């Protein structure tokens, strides 16, 4: 990993190599508001060595892997919403995990399949997360934005979508037994 503070200036950019945790970097994300704070994921099968954070532009690294499964961590993305404090999503070999500053550990983001996730993108306009997988296509799930984490995070039906953004407030937003592309909890029978 190399870093420069003068890219694009007249003459040559000066690049400085940064010391890294062992392993192969699979993704790098810069904090949305703190440019010296970086997050990286490490691919591979070293237990407890999946996600690292630096608050000094890569001079030092803190392991924030917690209890992530011992599978490759392929991608990390931070939500760019000022109401979140370091809200991170990690795509791994077994699905997507979420962590926000102050949380003890990563939580599985339960609305997505258990498969190798290669990319994560946020669609802020329709409040969703999209993940690109290896061999299982692209998936989309609800992304509870600001109201869910500002004291309005209630989830009355326990489906993983806070009430503020729950399209089916009385049931599982994803359950579609009749395959009509309309969640069953929202239908009238």
């Amino acid at each position: 990993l190399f870093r420069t503070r003068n890219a694009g200036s007249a003459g040559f950019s000066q690049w400085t190599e940064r010391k890294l945790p062992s392993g192969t970097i699979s993704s790098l994300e810069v904090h949305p508001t703190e440019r010296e704070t970086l997050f990286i994921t490490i691919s591979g099968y070293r237990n407890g060595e999946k996600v690292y954070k630096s608050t000094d532009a890569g001079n030092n690294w803190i392991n924030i892997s917690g209890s992530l499964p011992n599978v490759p961590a392929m991608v990390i993305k931070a939500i760019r919403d000022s109401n979140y404090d370091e809200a991170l999503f990690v795509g791994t070999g077994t699905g997507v995990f979420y962590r926000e500053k102050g949380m003890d550990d990563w939580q599985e983001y339960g609305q997505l399949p258990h498969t190798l996730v290669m990319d994560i993108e946020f669609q802020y306009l329709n409040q969703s997360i999209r993940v690109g997988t290896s061999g299982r296509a692209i998936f989309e799930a609800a992304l509870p934005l600001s109201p869910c984490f500002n004291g309005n995070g209630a989830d009355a039906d326990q489906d993983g979508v806070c009430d503020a953004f729950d399209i089916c407030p009385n049931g599982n937003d994803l359950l579609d037994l009749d395959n009509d592309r309309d969640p069953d909890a929202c239908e009238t029978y």
Side-chain angles (χ1 to χ4, degrees):
L1 180 68
F2 290 83
R3 176 187 169 204
T4 184
R5 289 192 183 267
N6 65 343
S9 62
F12 293 100
S13 298
Q14 181 180 11
W15 292 90
T16 306
E17 187 171 8
R18 293 291 173 219
K19 184 172 53 170
L20 292 170
S22 61
T24 302
I25 296 175
S26 51
S27 181
L28 180 140
E29 180 81 344
V30 178
H31 190 286
T33 59
E34 300 169 17
R35 68 182 189 161
E36 299 286 313
T37 300
L38 312 171
F39 304 95
I40 60 170
T41 54
I42 304 291
S43 63
Y45 294 93
R46 296 179 126 189
N47 197 24
E49 297 180 22
K50 306 298 173 191
V51 184
Y52 290 85
K53 173 184 176 179
S54 173
T55 57
D56 58 8
N59 288 325
N60 298 288
W61 295 93
I62 303 161
N63 186 337
I64 60 168
S65 301
S67 63
L68 285 172
N70 189 17
V71 295
M74 301 305 296
V75 61
I76 187 164
K77 294 288 182 167
I79 294 179
R80 302 195 182 290
D81 182 327
S82 61
N83 294 298
Y84 283 90
D85 191 5
E86 214 167 274
L88 303 170
F89 285 80
V90 172
T92 73
T94 59
V96 177
F97 293 82
Y98 169 81
R99 183 175 189 166
E100 191 171 349
K101 193 173 190 177
M103 291 174 64
D104 292 334
D105 204 354
W106 296 90
Q107 293 181 1
E108 182 176 6
Y109 198 70
Q111 302 170 340
L112 297 164
H114 295 128
T115 188
L116 176 60
V117 174
M118 302 297 292
D119 194 18
I120 296 173
E121 294 295 330
F122 302 117
Q123 302 301 315
Y124 294 99
L125 188 60
N126 69 353
Q127 301 167 358
S128 65
I129 179 175
R130 292 184 182 157
V131 298
T133 68
S134 178
R136 289 202 57 198
I138 297 171
F139 292 89
E140 182 176 82
L143 180 65
L145 291 176
S146 304
C148 298
F149 294 98
N150 290 337
N152 298 322
D155 182 14
D157 57 7
Q158 299 295 306
D159 65 354
V161 181
C162 77
D163 293 343
F165 295 116
D166 201 335
I167 60 170
C168 299
N170 298 317
N172 185 336
D173 290 56
L174 304 178
L175 189 61
D176 184 20
L177 298 176
D178 58 4
N179 294 316
D180 67 352
R181 304 186 83 165
D182 187 24
D184 294 336
C186 297
E187 296 177 8
T188 304
Y189 290 101

